[in-house]
Amino acid sequence: MKKYSIHRQAASFRVDYEKDLNPEQYTAVLHDTGPALVLAGAGTGKTRVVTYRVARLAESGVLPENILLLTFTNKAAREMMRRAEQLIGRNIAGLYGGTFHHIANLLLRQHYRLAGYRQGFSILDREDARELFEACIAEVYKKDSVLPRGAVLAEINSLAKNTEEDLSGVVTLRFPHFADAVDAICRIAALYEKKKIDLNLMDFDDLLVQWKRVFEENENIREYYSLKFKYILVDEYQDTNRLQADIIDLTARGHGNLMAVGDDAQSIYSFRGADFENILRFPKRYPEAGVYKLTTNYRSTPEILTLANRIIGHNKNQFTKELHAVRQSGDRPGLVGLRDVFEEAEYVASMVTDMNSDGKAFDEISVLYRSHYQSMQVQMEFQRRGIPFEIRSGLKFFEQAHIKDILSFLRIIVNPHDEISWKRILKLTRGVGNITAARIWEVLGKSDAPLDALAGVSRLVPRKASEGFNRFLELIGSLRDERYLSSPSAAIDYALHHGYEDHLYTTYPNAEMRIEDIEQMTRFALRYDSLETFLSDLALQGVAEAEAEAAESPEGRVVLSTVHQAKGLEWGTVFIIGMNDGRFPSAKSLRTDDEEEERRLFYVAATRAKEELFLCYPVSAEDWHSLGLLRPSRFLRELPPDSFEEITVEDV
């Protein structure tokens, strides 16, 4: 393995690296040649290390075109390059920097024939891929079938490629709802792959698959790029999937000058295909690698870091490290037990109001949660009190398509003349589009009793949609039962489990998250004994939300976010809500033995806080047919009592 020597021109360095960096950062940046793993703990200056490493290489005489910088957004690469240029005072425009897909596209434009493509191939975006899958479904199956739709098939296919797993295995393990349709899914996927070649198309995943293929099948090409990219830096290495790790290893094979920067304790994206083993096994794949640990944290107080260290200390599969604080001491994190999710929302809202009155801007406060559905009560309570907020984890709760769908079923029961709701739910039947829905409404709209007239419109439905439409008729017929008029919670639950759940699985890759949202709405609806009152209150809530959106707050907005969406961000005060077994950690993770990743997720959440951290858990839970107790999260129970200050809420 050929070695290169750097750091030879110390007298000519413009940057005073030793002065600008702390000792841990300085040692990592000055790594000479060969492989290196930089374990950058939360808030320890990971981006600074990558930027200064690029600057150091350039100042050491390495040509920019001999550096490959792989990041997870093109924006991150551009920002690092811009800052490196500012440091050294000259242009490094020849540097190859960007996402794996960006670099793959540049390479494959030069070597398209080796990948089996013609010049000028087009790249499918996610929507294009979905539409091509839909075309393949229509070609293989001429009648209505209970199969995943294009978006779900695209997600299955993407996971199989990025994890380098067999397609049938991905279906069985990650999409068990379609275990009986594995053969059909494989046939459709095979047709999809053939059509792409015929039409000279690649999807995003093909860019990586073909990059690896070209390097594996053409040693001379691989050697050329290994010589060209003499120094490789990979940011957020803990988030790479198996395919990306293979590409990196192939590219670095000729010299081994690979610096992987990341934090195993913040590996939280396995659901996207990220492989935790990539960073964990790096020293085994590269036995000569230098391992550098960044543990000096510039973000959080010592008390918050003590809690964070104790959280992650319970994981067995990790590189052991402890974060150390630079900031002055503060309050211990607060542990708050609440009666239920409603009191939890009231507590958070009261605290936010008090903090703002004491001078803390709203945008310095965040409410984090494991799953998006957990934000519903907080959204409602913030809206009631006029607290400005923004949702980083998706749309506001009642703006989501699946919530609107369920509410539309209920609205036509209360108001059978609601044209908008009718057309929305009619189109949920596979094979019923805008034209058919309009024809059906033309009949229903002329009737004094649209619900009674529904049975007579089956003749307007295409034959391929007849089976699904019959199920739709049964659902509407059942929802007309008097008991649902006095129990909106039971009505929602019935609609979900008698047809709509299957629609979610076939239509959306994240069906389980959407089901969680709807189940949360059933719990919220328990407060109502009238379907009409329930729907009216939600409509008024929507109007109030729109008015609040229009009014800008000079102090910004409180951020509501899942922990996944909050990674890389920070706030002065952080509330983590829903800290219960089955919620955080999630019920699914407990079934699939993913407890360590869930604990890493808790660690990420805790390390978002700079000054104040509150851990909240309700003690009781309700659904439409039962009342039960919730256990505090096992992640809380395993912490020593001196990790936090228990807060008793007498009356919110």
Side-chain angles (χ1 to χ4, degrees):
M1 187 178 289
K2 186 176 179 180
K3 295 291 184 180
Y4 299 85
S5 180
I6 62 174
H7 313 313
R8 292 173 300 177
Q9 305 172 23
S12 65
F13 290 148
R14 168 176 170 165
V15 181
D16 188 340
Y17 294 91
E18 193 165 12
K19 178 182 177 182
D20 288 0
L21 303 167
N22 70 35
E24 294 172 336
Q25 296 168 339
Y26 179 71
T27 304
V29 167
L30 262 67
H31 172 81
D32 196 40
T33 57
L37 176 62
V38 180
L39 297 167
T44 60
K46 170 183 65 65
T47 301
R48 189 176 186 83
V49 166
V50 177
T51 302
Y52 273 77
R53 174 67 175 176
V54 171
R56 181 73 180 193
L57 290 172
E59 284 205 294
S60 298
V62 178
L63 297 176
E65 56 264 34
N66 294 144
I67 302 172
L68 173 62
L69 171 62
L70 291 166
T71 59
F72 274 80
T73 67
N74 289 317
K75 180 181 178 183
R78 288 193 299 268
E79 180 62 18
M80 290 177 188
M81 292 163 64
R82 183 189 67 79
R83 290 169 61 181
E85 286 179 337
Q86 288 180 335
L87 286 171
I88 65 176
R90 56 187 169 86
N91 191 288
I92 56 171
L95 186 149
Y96 277 66
T99 64
F100 283 84
H101 298 88
H102 173 69
I103 302 300
N105 180 51
L106 295 177
L107 268 59
L108 291 171
R109 292 296 171 186
Q110 304 299 315
H111 307 291
Y112 53 87
R113 286 192 181 91
L114 297 177
Y117 281 78
R118 302 184 296 278
Q119 187 173 11
F121 64 83
S122 300
I123 299 174
L124 297 169
D125 62 21
R126 301 298 183 193
E127 182 62 20
D128 295 332
R130 182 195 66 78
E131 290 182 2
L132 185 57
F133 263 116
E134 291 286 0
C136 293
I137 295 170
E139 193 168 323
V140 174
Y141 292 90
K142 303 299 183 183
K143 64 175 184 176
D144 182 28
S145 303
V146 181
L147 283 170
R149 288 190 168 177
V152 181
L153 285 171
E155 180 73 8
I156 293 171
N157 200 49
S158 177
L159 274 172
K161 288 181 177 179
N162 285 289
T163 58
E164 298 184 325
E165 294 177 5
D166 182 71
L167 188 69
S168 59
V170 170
V171 174
T172 302
L173 290 174
R174 296 181 181 246
F175 298 84
H177 193 76
F178 300 110
D180 294 338
V182 167
D183 291 343
I185 290 171
C186 290
R187 282 199 298 275
I188 294 168
L191 179 60
Y192 171 78
E193 298 299 330
K194 181 180 183 301
K195 280 184 176 290
K196 283 187 297 177
I197 294 292
D198 293 343
L199 300 171
N200 206 30
L201 301 171
M202 286 193 198
D203 59 28
F204 286 156
D205 304 309
D206 292 326
L207 292 170
L208 302 189
V209 170
Q210 297 303 337
W211 180 357
K212 179 182 176 181
R213 176 188 169 192
V214 168
F215 276 22
E216 283 186 327
E217 296 179 359
N218 302 274
E219 187 67 15
N220 59 327
I221 299 295
R222 188 202 61 73
E223 287 180 351
Y224 169 80
Y225 283 104
S226 187
L227 287 171
K228 178 177 178 60
F229 300 136
K230 295 177 182 177
Y231 291 91
I232 303 172
L233 295 91
V234 185
D235 189 27
E236 302 286 9
Y237 188 76
Q238 78 280 350
D239 294 334
T240 55
N241 58 45
R242 189 175 301 175
L243 177 57
Q244 290 166 330
D246 287 349
I247 289 169
I248 295 165
D249 291 346
L250 282 167
T251 309
R253 184 183 292 172
H255 51 71
N257 294 323
L258 166 62
M259 178 172 280
V261 183
D263 183 9
D264 59 298
Q266 297 186 74
S267 179
I268 59 174
Y269 294 113
S270 65
F271 69 95
R272 294 181 186 169
D275 191 344
F276 176 65
E277 296 295 331
N278 289 345
I279 192 167
L280 204 62
R281 293 180 179 172
F282 189 91
K284 293 182 180 179
R285 297 206 316 281
Y286 295 92
E288 70 276 29
V291 179
Y292 305 92
K293 295 183 180 181
L294 307 184
T295 61
T296 304
N297 176 285
Y298 294 90
R299 177 185 299 154
S300 307
T301 63
E303 290 75 13
I304 291 173
L305 294 186
T306 295
L307 177 80
N309 289 330
R310 288 172 172 177
I311 290 170
I312 204 64
H314 286 273
N315 273 6
K316 295 179 180 178
N317 299 311
Q318 64 168 316
F319 295 104
T320 303
K321 58 184 179 297
E322 285 212 354
L323 297 180
H324 306 284
V326 171
R327 293 180 66 114
Q328 292 183 345
S329 185
D331 294 331
R332 282 191 296 171
L335 179 65
V336 194
L338 290 311
R339 183 174 59 250
D340 52 29
V341 291
F342 301 102
E343 186 176 74
E344 182 179 56
E346 291 169 2
Y347 170 75
V348 172
S350 295
M351 289 291 289
V352 168
T353 301
D354 291 345
M355 290 175 180
N356 182 251
S357 298
D358 290 340
K360 174 159 286 197
F362 287 123
D363 59 13
E364 263 297 296
I365 305 172
S366 177
V367 182
L368 304 182
Y369 33 85
R370 172 62 181 83
S371 302
H372 183 52
Y373 77 86
Q374 293 173 293
S375 69
M376 178 184 170
Q377 275 76 22
V378 175
Q379 288 186 48
M380 299 286 281
E381 189 63 25
F382 276 20
Q383 185 58 52
R384 189 177 72 83
R385 299 189 186 215
I387 299 172
F389 66 94
E390 63 174 295
I391 306 293
R392 295 276 180 87
S393 52
L395 294 172
K396 289 192 173 181
F397 193 86
F398 294 104
E399 293 175 355
Q400 298 174 106
H402 49 291
I403 297 299
K404 287 186 172 182
D405 288 345
I406 287 290
L407 293 179
S408 292
F409 280 109
L410 307 188
R411 287 189 179 112
I412 62 110
I413 301 301
V414 172
N415 175 18
H417 300 279
D418 185 339
E419 176 183 357
I420 295 173
S421 294
W422 269 115
K423 288 183 175 178
R424 185 179 190 96
I425 60 175
L426 285 167
K427 288 185 290 185
L428 294 176
T429 298
R430 201 161 186 171
V432 175
N434 288 324
I435 294 175
T436 302
R439 288 173 177 166
I440 292 173
W441 170 250
E442 188 176 356
V443 174
L444 299 180
K446 292 177 180 178
S447 171
D448 291 334
L451 290 169
D452 294 331
L454 184 60
V457 300
S458 296
R459 58 186 171 78
L460 301 175
V461 176
R463 183 176 299 175
K464 65 179 181 178
S466 59
E467 184 178 341
F469 193 73
N470 287 335
R471 291 194 295 268
F472 171 78
L473 293 177
E474 291 175 7
L475 171 58
I476 298 302
S478 297
L479 285 176
R480 295 181 66 182
D481 192 291
E482 282 290 329
R483 60 181 167 147
Y484 294 126
L485 293 176
S486 59
S487 179
S489 181
I492 294 167
D493 185 82
Y494 188 88
L496 171 62
H497 293 110
H498 290 79
Y500 190 70
E501 187 174 30
D502 286 336
H503 166 77
L504 290 176
Y505 276 116
T506 58
T507 307
Y508 300 109
N510 62 344
E512 290 185 355
M513 293 173 60
R514 294 171 187 261
I515 291 169
E516 284 180 339
D517 287 342
I518 295 169
E519 289 175 340
Q520 182 69 5
M521 188 164 61
T522 66
R523 290 188 282 270
F524 175 77
L526 281 168
R527 291 190 160 191
Y528 294 85
D529 57 12
S530 163
L531 187 56
E532 185 173 0
T533 304
F534 172 70
L535 293 171
S536 297
D537 280 4
L538 295 191
L540 294 173
Q541 175 76 15
V543 172
E545 282 184 0
E547 291 174 348
E549 269 311 303
E552 286 298 323
S553 168
E555 297 173 314
R557 299 173 182 274
V558 179
V559 170
L560 274 59
S561 176
T562 60
V563 183
H564 285 105
Q565 291 293 328
K567 185 173 175 288
L569 304 176
E570 60 183 40
W571 294 272
T573 299
V574 170
F575 294 86
I576 307 177
I577 63 173
M579 289 298 305
N580 299 91
D581 273 354
R583 298 184 177 186
F584 202 161
S586 69
K588 181 178 179 181
S589 72
L590 296 177
R591 293 194 304 269
T592 55
D593 196 28
D594 290 333
E595 186 176 307
E596 290 213 346
E597 178 158 332
E598 290 288 299
R599 192 178 284 108
R600 294 194 294 270
L601 196 60
F602 182 27
Y603 171 84
V604 168
T607 53
R608 299 312 93 198
K610 295 189 290 186
E611 298 144 8
E612 296 176 295
L613 176 63
F614 297 91
L615 311 173
C616 304
Y617 65 94
V619 297
S620 66
E622 297 175 325
D623 58 34
W624 74 273
H625 52 65
S626 67
L627 171 67
L629 297 179
L630 289 171
R631 295 188 74 189
S633 170
R634 62 194 59 198
F635 300 154
L636 298 178
R637 302 197 308 271
E638 68 192 12
L639 293 171
D642 64 350
S643 302
F644 39 73
E645 188 77 37
E646 289 203 52
I647 298 174
T648 303
V649 179
E650 296 295 340
D651 187 19
V652 177

